Amino acid sequence: MSNKISHSGVIQSIKDGCIKVQIVQTSACAACKVASHCMAAESKVKIVDVLRKDTNGFEVGQQVVVWASKDVANQALLLGFGVPFLLLVCVLMIALRLSGNEGVAALSALASLLPYYVALWLMRDKIQQRISFNLES
């Protein structure tokens, strides 16, 4: 079993150590032969930034494989969904207990996410060093 999550894609641009790769993310049923008839299949085009010091050997239009380790994917999921969910639930419970008002508790819980996402944005460079993609040609 591989410890990598990978997608094939096409290089869209190369600039200042950043390679932009277009990948098509498909749902499991998108590859089904009758997917066009049942309307359950979906696919999304995404652009992934791959930071590399050495971009030699890569050119626009080249087919590549973008990959990340499962540990990196788990860290990204934790920062993007796990921590905010726990923060939301904890603040909701605390605010509900302190105020007794469900509306105030809900607004407080939602408002607690703003500083979290601002902190993530401010620390984006440090996070980008830990959570990054790699390329295979």
Side-chain angles (χ1 to χ4, degrees):
M1 182 181 239
S2 177
N3 193 27
K4 291 196 290 189
I5 298 171
S6 60
H7 290 282
S8 56
V10 178
I11 295 178
Q12 295 297 308
S13 68
I14 301 171
K15 185 177 179 183
D16 299 329
C18 179
I19 301 174
K20 292 192 179 286
V21 180
Q22 177 182 340
I23 61 172
V24 178
Q25 185 179 27
T26 57
S27 65
C29 59
C32 177
K33 293 178 183 177
V34 294
S36 62
H37 300 291
C38 74
M39 306 302 263
E42 64 179 56
S43 63
K44 296 177 185 174
V45 175
K46 296 191 176 194
I47 304 294
V48 176
D49 291 341
V50 180
L51 302 176
R52 291 179 65 109
K53 292 180 181 174
D54 181 23
T55 58
N56 294 332
F58 295 102
E59 57 189 44
V60 175
Q62 180 180 354
Q63 291 279 339
V64 293
V65 175
V66 179
W67 65 273
S69 72
K70 288 187 179 178
D71 293 337
V72 166
N74 289 337
Q75 285 179 353
L77 283 172
L78 186 66
L79 287 174
F81 298 104
V83 173
F85 175 74
L86 289 174
L87 179 65
L88 186 80
V89 171
C90 289
V91 171
L92 179 68
M93 293 300 150
I94 292 168
L96 186 59
R97 179 164 290 246
L98 292 176
S99 72
N101 185 329
E102 292 176 357
V104 169
L107 289 174
S108 299
L110 288 173
S112 72
L113 294 178
L114 184 64
Y116 175 75
Y117 284 115
V118 168
L120 272 184
W121 183 77
L122 291 172
M123 296 188 314
R124 68 187 178 277
D125 293 331
K126 286 184 180 183
I127 293 169
Q128 194 172 46
Q129 292 172 2
R130 293 181 57 207
I131 298 176
S132 62
F133 293 99
N134 299 299
L135 281 181
E136 293 176 7
S137 52

